[in-house]
Amino acid sequence: MSETVVECNYCGCDVWRHDPVFVEEVEDDERVPAGAFCNYACLSSYIDAEGLTIGATCEVPSE
């Protein structure tokens, strides 16, 4: 377990005390940290609270 406290982007708790989920994004072909969350519940709540799915879509390949 890490000694460094990493706060959840949603609730502010130390993620290491739970089942952490880390998110990365790609910028200029490099992965960069984009968030740390206690678990998938905090990540899901953060996505909803920030409206991150509004207008988002991906392409689903047709068979």
Side-chain angles (χ1 to χ4, degrees):
M1 186 170 288
S2 175
E3 294 181 23
T4 304
V5 172
V6 176
E7 290 185 2
C8 176
N9 284 73
Y10 180 69
C11 72
C13 290
D14 180 8
V15 300
W16 296 115
R17 298 187 72 203
H18 304 278
D19 189 16
V21 176
F22 298 92
V23 178
E24 294 179 335
E25 293 180 349
V26 176
E27 291 181 7
D28 300 323
D29 294 328
E30 288 187 38
R31 290 181 174 268
V32 294
F37 302 89
C38 290
N39 50 42
Y40 285 106
C42 279
L43 173 57
S44 177
S45 295
Y46 179 83
I47 290 167
D48 291 343
E50 297 295 316
L52 297 178
T53 59
I54 297 171
T57 154
C58 63
E59 292 182 27
V60 178
S62 59
E63 295 183 82

